[in-house]
Amino acid sequence: MSVKTLDGKGRWRNKIVAFRVSPEENEHLNKLVKLSGLNKQEYLIHRILMEEITVNYSPRVFKAFRNQINEFSELLKDTQPVDKETAELMAYTIDLLQKFREE
């Protein structure tokens, strides 16, 4: 017999939503999730419902930002053209950093 539990807001989460992504899409999604500080399920729900994502400070989020900025720095040093997904990820990261500064 399985144990039924509610989520943190007292909701039943018993519906499954699944879809396939390419390895590149998965990597991109994982980077966005790390920068948000949310788990993947919460991140996807917020994005699908077009809800604002509030990033909570944590060592894990700080490390994700540092790694992402280092990756951008290397791309810019090499002066290689970046693809659309990388450019969007750069803009998203900069937007989140600006929100941190405002708080």
Side-chain angles (χ1 to χ4, degrees):
M1 182 170 158
S2 65
V3 177
K4 294 184 178 183
T5 59
L6 301 175
D7 72 357
K9 294 184 179 179
R11 300 172 294 200
W12 289 111
R13 287 212 166 148
N14 58 351
K15 299 295 180 189
I16 297 173
V17 176
F19 54 93
R20 297 180 191 276
V21 295
S22 69
E24 296 82 13
E25 291 167 330
N26 187 54
E27 182 181 339
H28 186 72
L29 176 60
N30 286 336
K31 287 178 182 180
L32 292 171
V33 169
K34 285 180 183 179
L35 291 172
S36 76
L38 300 172
N39 64 41
K40 192 178 280 188
Q41 175 179 320
E42 289 296 325
Y43 178 81
L44 290 171
I45 290 170
H46 281 290
R47 295 297 293 182
I48 290 167
L49 299 177
M50 293 184 228
E51 297 174 345
E52 185 172 329
I53 295 174
T54 303
V55 179
N56 296 319
Y57 295 103
S58 74
R60 187 181 72 175
V61 171
F62 178 78
K63 182 179 179 184
F65 270 103
R66 186 187 67 219
N67 292 343
Q68 196 60 61
I69 290 169
N70 287 340
E71 185 177 317
F72 294 157
S73 177
E74 290 301 315
L75 284 172
L76 295 172
K77 283 179 188 174
D78 295 340
T79 61
Q80 297 175 359
V82 295
D83 59 22
K84 181 181 175 189
E85 285 182 352
T86 302
E88 288 173 356
L89 185 57
M90 284 179 167
Y92 179 74
T93 304
I94 291 167
D95 183 50
L96 288 175
L97 287 171
Q98 288 174 336
K99 287 180 183 179
F100 280 156
R101 287 182 52 189
E102 293 171 3
E103 292 179 359

